[in-house]
Amino acid sequence: MSRGAGLSLALRLAMELVVGFAIGIGIGVGLDYWLNTSPLFLIIFFFLGAGAGMLNVYRVATGAGQSIGYKKPPPDRNKG
Amino acid sequence: MAAEEHSPLAQFEIKPLVSLRLGDLDLSYTNSALFMTIAMVLAASFLLLATRRSALVPGRWQSMAEISYEFVANMIRDNVGQEGRKYFPFIFSLFMFVLFGNLLGMIPYSFTYTSHIIVTFAMAAVVFIGVTVIGFKKHGLHFLSFLMPAGVPIFMAPLIVPIEILSYFTRPVSLSLRLFANMTAGHTMLKVFAGFVALLGVFGVVPLLLVAALTGMELIIAFLQAYVFTILTCVYLNDALHLH
Amino acid sequence: MPQFDTSTFLPQLFWLAIIFVLLFVIMRRHALPRISDILEARQLRITSDLEKAGGLKEEADQVMADYEKALAETRTQATALIKQAGEEMAAENTKRQQAIAADLAAKTKAAEARIAAAKDEALAGLKAVAADTARAATAKLIGIEPQAEQVQQAVAKAMGGRG
């Protein structure tokens, strides 16, 4: 793996993590705003978002790509 | 005003060219729309003019058109399979639209519509919603089974299902954010270094070389991001068509 | 950042939808069918060319087989001819040898006959000489000249079976 490819993978992993957090926090804040339960849903969805972000990172890092589930894709699809 | 013009972010500004209002809605034809139009016209005329003569032995332009066709067709065949053929026109249009948008942005003083989050997000959202609809159409409610991966114990469901749903919803965001961030960062960086060239005068040779190298890298990224956007669309489509 | 100015969202989305749909329609209706037609035509052409080449090869193989067959036939024919010629020659030889042998036998016979004739003649001559000699000797010895027939008979008697 060249340095550029490694850097782009690192950026991609960081982005996956941040997006997971961001979506979780966004949904939590939205639900709190709607249901007036601040900060209950923010806290719940912060952790769920963290989980989703780490799950995404795990999938990218293990080469499972963006596919659903934890199985590795068939070898002919590894190009993506 | 002058400072504003030289800001590296000035290139991303939307300027209405033809003001158009529908009641309270602003539907102005902007520089963004202009470059979308240019990309559309360029992509269409490239493919139509290149294949005008339908030569059995292709010329340079025709073989370029054929290569782009087969590039996307292979991507779909490798990532989705035979069932993906139905969606080929859409995926091909998407690839061409993103690629031409990225490449047009390389021209100095032009506008890059793929560096606007709303544009990339709209495309990612269309892909996301379309893929979800296809999944439900094909598998019915069984499509929801992807929320509970095989081999996970049932007591984990209250934790896993929300996480999987969130993970599913991060797809359009990370898809659009990736394209947006790459194009914005690349173009801002180019603009900053180009500003150094102008600022340093004779000594601007060093940043000039850097700008040349960056431009080359940006060209690769322009293509790569179009490729990534398209291939992730294929991967999502494959997930919806063939549940794991 | 200008990208987060929400007032620009609506016009961008509006034109994005119009332009992308337009691009999609052009691709779907015109550009892509044309390219796929070209690729299909080429594939068809390649397939038919391959078929044609296959046919030609078959033909060439046929011609080659025919040639080989003709060659083999000619070869057997030539062998037969050589054999026949050999046999003919052998027959001729035998015949000639037989002819020579017959000729030789005939010549031998003729020579033998000639020798026998000469012997007879010589014997006959000997008888006459012996008779003459006997008459002359008788006349000289006893002064009587015997009759020729008597002498001859006597000589024949004396010579007996010899001669």
Side-chain angles (χ1 to χ4, degrees):
Chain A
M1 187 183 278
S2 75
R3 216 170 128 196
L7 188 68
S8 85
L9 182 67
L11 281 175
R12 196 177 153 197
L13 292 178
M15 201 183 73
E16 293 288 351
L17 197 62
V18 169
V19 167
F21 269 105
I23 294 265
I25 292 171
I27 291 176
V29 168
L31 281 176
D32 278 340
Y33 183 78
W34 182 42
L35 301 169
N36 252 330
T37 50
S38 182
L40 175 66
F41 282 109
L42 174 60
I43 292 167
I44 294 174
F45 275 91
F46 173 83
F47 286 107
L48 288 180
M54 282 177 202
L55 185 65
N56 288 345
V57 167
Y58 171 78
R59 279 183 188 150
V60 173
T62 51
Q66 296 284 318
S67 41
I68 302 167
Y70 302 96
K71 271 182 280 180
K72 288 206 173 203
D76 61 318
R77 282 197 211 122
N78 264 341
K79 284 175 245 163
Chain B
M1 184 67 193
E4 185 78 4
E5 278 301 309
H6 284 109
S7 153
L9 296 179
Q11 57 177 324
F12 302 121
E13 243 153 56
I14 302 278
K15 293 171 197 128
L17 301 177
V18 182
S19 275
L20 201 71
R21 289 204 150 269
L22 203 76
D24 278 346
L25 304 175
D26 177 18
L27 301 178
S28 303
Y29 190 80
T30 59
N31 52 349
S32 168
L34 173 67
F35 275 90
M36 288 179 200
T37 314
I38 292 174
M40 190 258 297
V41 169
L42 276 183
S45 44
F46 159 57
L47 289 171
L48 289 176
L49 289 179
T51 57
R52 190 186 29 180
R53 270 182 297 152
S54 296
L56 212 56
V57 177
R60 192 182 311 153
W61 287 98
Q62 192 184 324
S63 55
M64 267 165 73
E66 285 174 15
I67 285 169
S68 52
Y69 178 99
E70 294 199 317
F71 181 71
V72 179
N74 286 341
M75 222 188 309
I76 294 177
R77 202 182 44 226
D78 292 347
N79 290 287
V80 188
Q82 207 53 44
E83 279 172 277
R85 285 209 65 81
K86 239 190 339 188
Y87 310 102
F88 177 63
F90 176 77
I91 293 174
F92 187 80
S93 309
L94 198 64
F95 175 70
M96 279 293 163
F97 194 67
V98 175
L99 180 65
F100 274 77
N102 292 353
L103 290 178
L104 273 179
M106 298 298 301
I107 302 168
Y109 300 106
S110 70
F111 180 86
T112 323
Y113 56 79
T114 46
S115 68
H116 271 255
I117 184 73
I118 187 65
V119 174
T120 61
F121 184 74
M123 289 190 289
V126 167
V127 169
F128 176 75
I129 294 169
V131 160
T132 310
V133 168
I134 288 167
F136 273 115
K137 234 181 184 171
K138 180 139 196 273
H139 303 286
L141 285 179
H142 186 64
F143 182 58
L144 289 174
S145 72
F146 77 86
L147 294 177
M148 195 60 200
V152 178
I154 194 74
F155 64 87
M156 292 281 279
L159 187 63
I160 289 293
V161 170
I163 286 182
E164 285 286 347
I165 292 175
L166 269 181
S167 168
Y168 191 68
F169 277 95
T170 57
R171 282 174 163 195
V173 179
S174 64
L175 184 61
S176 54
L177 215 57
R178 182 178 297 124
L179 181 56
F180 154 75
N182 270 287
M183 297 326 289
T184 302
H187 285 82
T188 310
M189 206 154 65
L190 268 184
K191 195 84 177 185
V192 168
F193 279 100
F196 283 166
V197 176
L199 215 67
L200 290 176
V202 186
F203 303 104
V205 177
V206 177
L208 187 65
L209 289 177
L210 212 65
V211 166
L214 276 177
T215 306
M217 210 181 74
E218 273 295 294
L219 271 175
I220 295 170
I221 288 177
F223 174 79
L224 208 66
Q225 286 306 316
Y227 172 74
V228 167
F229 198 91
T230 317
I231 207 152
L232 284 179
T233 302
C234 290
V235 169
Y236 295 160
L237 183 62
N238 179 54
D239 280 347
L241 288 175
H242 314 109
L243 278 177
H244 289 259
Chain C
M1 275 175 114
Q3 281 100 324
F4 298 113
D5 177 2
T6 49
S7 72
T8 68
F9 282 9
L10 190 63
Q12 285 207 80
L13 284 178
F14 177 69
W15 288 103
L16 170 67
I18 290 178
I19 292 163
F20 188 79
V21 167
L22 214 60
L23 178 71
F24 175 71
V25 169
I26 294 172
M27 291 293 125
R28 198 200 162 101
R29 288 265 171 81
H30 304 287
L32 295 178
R34 225 192 258 181
I35 301 178
S36 76
D37 281 354
I38 291 171
L39 293 177
E40 241 162 61
R42 181 172 313 139
Q43 197 54 50
L44 217 68
R45 174 69 181 274
I46 289 169
T47 317
S48 82
D49 277 3
L50 277 177
E51 260 165 30
K52 216 184 279 170
L56 281 174
K57 190 183 170 338
E58 225 161 71
E59 217 168 279
D61 284 352
Q62 187 60 46
V63 168
M64 191 66 196
D66 283 355
Y67 167 76
E68 297 252 308
K69 207 170 133 197
L71 197 67
E73 250 167 43
T74 314
R75 197 169 287 149
T76 42
Q77 234 166 25
T79 318
L81 269 176
I82 289 167
K83 202 174 154 195
Q84 202 187 336
E87 272 167 8
E88 258 168 32
M89 243 148 82
E92 186 101 340
N93 262 350
T94 330
K95 220 161 119 192
R96 209 181 298 157
Q97 264 172 1
Q98 275 169 357
I100 289 168
D103 196 27
L104 276 175
K107 273 186 182 154
T108 313
K109 220 178 222 171
E112 274 172 357
R114 255 205 327 271
I115 289 165
K119 197 179 161 189
D120 283 354
E121 207 176 315
L123 276 176
L126 192 66
K127 236 179 239 177
V129 170
D132 277 354
T133 311
R135 224 170 82 189
T138 314
K140 263 221 182 124
L141 286 171
I142 57 173
I144 308 165
E145 205 167 302
Q147 287 293 305
E149 284 92 23
Q150 282 172 330
V151 176
Q152 269 166 13
Q153 274 164 14
V155 168
K157 214 184 199 168
M159 284 173 78
R162 273 181 280 170

